[in-house]
Amino acid sequence: MPETVELDRSALARRGRRLEYFTIAWNSLEGVVGIGAGVMAGSISLIAFGIDSFIEITSGSVLLWRMSSDSDKERREKREAIALKIVGVCFLALCLYVAYEAITTLSKHEAPERSIAGIVLAIASLVVMPLLARAKRRVGNQMGSVAMAADAKQSEFCYYLSAILLAGLALNAAFGLWWADPVAALAMVPLIAHEGIEALQGETCRD
Ligand SMILES: [Zn+2]
């Protein structure tokens, strides 16, 4: 019996690692396109979205490291706790950056340009992220890994950010509402803060 359990765990950890490789690859693209298009268009919400991709890469890499030592229970638990803390700190750093940039942009009345690349990126993430989040959540639940579940939330959260991003970019492109972009970025802040605080307070063992 215990052998079956171990086998299941190692299969799940392998699946977890595959999902994290995909996360890292996708977000490298998302980050480069987001920041590139964001800088070109002067869009704070797009730049914030791009930076969030690098947070997702950090989170994904940490989880990859966590999933590669799953067979050793002691190491597993140690890595689980460290992974969760790193993910939490990443969220809070992003939160501060976005709040600062959005407020600066609003106070300077900086209008972003239209960004078709940004709109295409937001739509692509809107499609991919819910699927990725669901797959990760399933692995996290089956393994009882809170860090994996927190990482799944990062992907889920990227989905919300894509929706907000798309709204800001579309309102600006269609109606020239310059403030829609920084306001969209500000709308992301409480969501990001909440996730960061939750990860930092996170209990690594479930009751
Ligand atoms: Zn993302």
Side-chain angles (χ1 to χ4, degrees):
M1 270 306 263
E3 270 148 68
T4 345
V5 174
E6 280 310 311
L7 193 70
D8 282 346
R9 270 205 84 89
S10 71
L12 283 169
R14 225 178 6 256
R15 182 162 165 69
R17 287 198 296 273
R18 270 203 302 274
L19 288 169
E20 297 305 346
Y21 279 124
F22 176 80
T23 300
I24 292 166
W26 176 272
N27 280 291
S28 303
L29 193 73
E30 196 186 79
V32 169
V33 174
I35 292 176
V39 167
M40 280 196 287
S43 158
I44 171 62
S45 67
L46 197 45
I47 294 172
F49 185 73
I51 294 178
D52 180 61
S53 309
F54 288 100
I55 293 186
E56 287 170 77
I57 291 175
T58 306
S59 177
S61 310
V62 169
L63 259 298
L64 199 56
W65 171 70
R66 155 70 184 83
M67 287 295 151
S68 63
S69 69
D70 194 72
S71 49
D72 182 334
K73 192 165 185 292
E74 202 174 306
R75 263 169 79 194
R76 178 204 299 169
E77 277 163 13
K78 224 175 262 169
R79 288 191 176 193
E80 175 87 16
I82 296 170
L84 204 54
K85 288 271 179 297
I86 294 177
V87 172
V89 169
C90 286
F91 267 132
L92 292 184
L94 176 70
C95 181
L96 290 177
Y97 171 79
V98 173
Y100 171 79
E101 282 296 330
I103 289 167
T104 315
T105 308
L106 274 174
S107 65
K108 285 192 204 152
H109 284 225
E110 277 176 48
E113 310 261 324
R114 287 175 190 184
S115 179
I116 300 302
I119 290 174
V120 171
L121 176 68
I123 293 172
S125 293
L126 215 49
V127 174
V128 170
M129 284 303 150
L131 301 172
L132 182 60
R134 198 189 335 158
K136 284 181 179 177
R137 196 163 44 239
R138 200 172 291 155
V139 170
N141 286 341
Q142 283 167 338
M143 296 180 77
S145 165
V146 182
M148 190 66 177
D151 184 61
K153 268 196 188 166
Q154 297 252 22
S155 307
E156 194 182 310
F157 179 67
C158 177
Y159 165 70
Y160 300 136
L161 289 184
S162 320
I164 296 172
L165 173 69
L166 188 60
L169 293 177
L171 284 173
N172 181 52
F175 307 110
L177 298 180
W178 70 271
W179 48 262
D181 188 79
V183 166
L186 272 182
M188 297 175 182
V189 169
L191 292 174
I192 306 171
H194 177 78
E195 292 306 319
I197 291 164
E198 203 166 75
L200 283 177
Q201 291 176 334
E203 296 293 317
T204 46
C205 9
R206 298 192 164 190
D207 349 22

